[in-house]
Amino acid sequence: MLETQIAHRGILDPRLLAVMGNVPRHRFVPPDERMWAYSDGPLPIGHGQTISQPYIVALMTDLLRLDGPERVLEVGTGSGYQAAVLACLVAEVHTVEFIPELGRQAARLLQDLGHKNVHVHIGDGSLGWQAAAPYDAILVAAAAPDVPQPLLDQLAEGGRLVLPVGGRGFQELQIWQREGTTFSQKNNIAVAFVPLRGEHGWK
Ligand code: SAH
């Protein structure tokens, strides 16, 4: 997985590669999908949701340019896999999940695996998570029709937001960065995520 799916596609940060090699992805997928846990694609995790492809997890994490001391918000906990990867790289992770059952299951697994710096919240992450804002980085794991304003508002100075924006089907991976009161935006590759729900998601 590390060589052919991630490093070969240009993600070379040794810290990130080490973490992707250490987090047990098979623990985050349902038992009957386990033999595909390290394959090059997303997998179903129930409730019509998916755990992202390993490369996309690595790419979005890489785009946040994390050094270690950051506090990070993830929207769309799902299985908890992306949160576990983030938790190994930064000081503190807050992750918000819309579907209570998925959130509770992820929280249990993250606790079992010893991730003490991850806080799982149940709620509408399209509104961010104001109680712990601002964040040095925000990662959204579901496709938004437009960048949700509350997420931009909850970025710290210099903070970065990575999210898929676009219609159902395919979206563009966007990277936003706060510079004072203005925000710069760049586009990365085309991706396919499940829809973001909630107030700033798809109705
Ligand atoms: N990061 C996850 C993949 C998540 S799939 C992993 O590593 O497994 C996208 C998730 O976003 C789904 O679990 C879905 O329920 C959740 N989601 C969709 N809209 C949301 C919202 N408004 N707030 C929080 N979570 C949301």
Side-chain angles (χ1 to χ4, degrees):
M1 178 185 97
L2 283 181
E3 273 176 38
T4 61
Q5 299 173 34
I6 300 176
H8 187 69
R9 291 181 178 133
I11 292 176
L12 301 169
D13 174 3
R15 239 178 114 233
L16 175 55
L17 289 174
V19 167
M20 295 291 301
N22 275 334
V23 176
R25 184 170 163 93
H26 58 278
R27 296 285 303 272
F28 293 86
V29 305
D32 54 345
E33 300 288 342
R34 232 155 244 176
M35 63 173 147
W36 308 112
Y38 297 90
S39 65
D40 194 14
L43 292 170
I45 55 171
H47 303 269
Q49 306 304 321
T50 54
I51 176 174
S52 305
Q53 179 186 3
Y55 170 63
I56 296 297
V57 171
L59 175 64
M60 290 176 83
T61 309
D62 198 45
L63 290 170
L64 292 175
R65 302 213 194 114
L66 303 166
D67 286 328
E70 292 90 353
R71 298 174 63 256
V72 179
L73 173 68
E74 181 197 21
V75 176
T77 314
S79 68
Y81 177 69
Q82 172 79 71
V85 168
L86 291 168
C88 296
L89 291 166
V90 301
E92 191 178 321
V93 178
H94 289 266
T95 179
V96 188
E97 174 54 49
F98 200 72
I99 300 175
E101 208 175 308
L102 281 179
R104 282 196 292 266
Q105 195 178 314
R108 257 195 315 271
L109 178 55
L110 289 163
Q111 192 179 21
D112 280 358
L113 294 173
H115 295 290
K116 295 195 168 64
N117 58 341
V118 186
H119 308 273
V120 180
H121 309 286
I122 310 291
D124 177 7
S126 80
L127 300 168
W129 192 259
Q130 182 61 47
Y135 303 97
D136 302 302
I138 301 178
L139 185 159
V140 183
D146 275 303
V147 61
Q149 186 61 43
L151 299 183
L152 292 175
D153 292 342
Q154 290 174 26
L155 275 182
E157 175 57 31
R160 291 161 78 83
L161 161 66
V162 173
L163 84 169
V165 174
R168 288 160 188 269
F170 286 92
Q171 309 92 31
E172 212 142 51
L173 202 55
Q174 298 189 343
I175 306 122
W176 291 76
Q177 182 155 14
R178 177 173 210 140
E179 287 141 11
T181 53
T182 63
F183 296 89
S184 65
Q185 187 237 309
K186 281 187 212 149
N187 288 345
N188 197 267
I189 60 167
V191 288
F193 275 83
V194 296
L196 181 71
R197 292 156 72 184
E199 194 154 327
H200 295 271
W202 293 96
K203 298 291 174 271

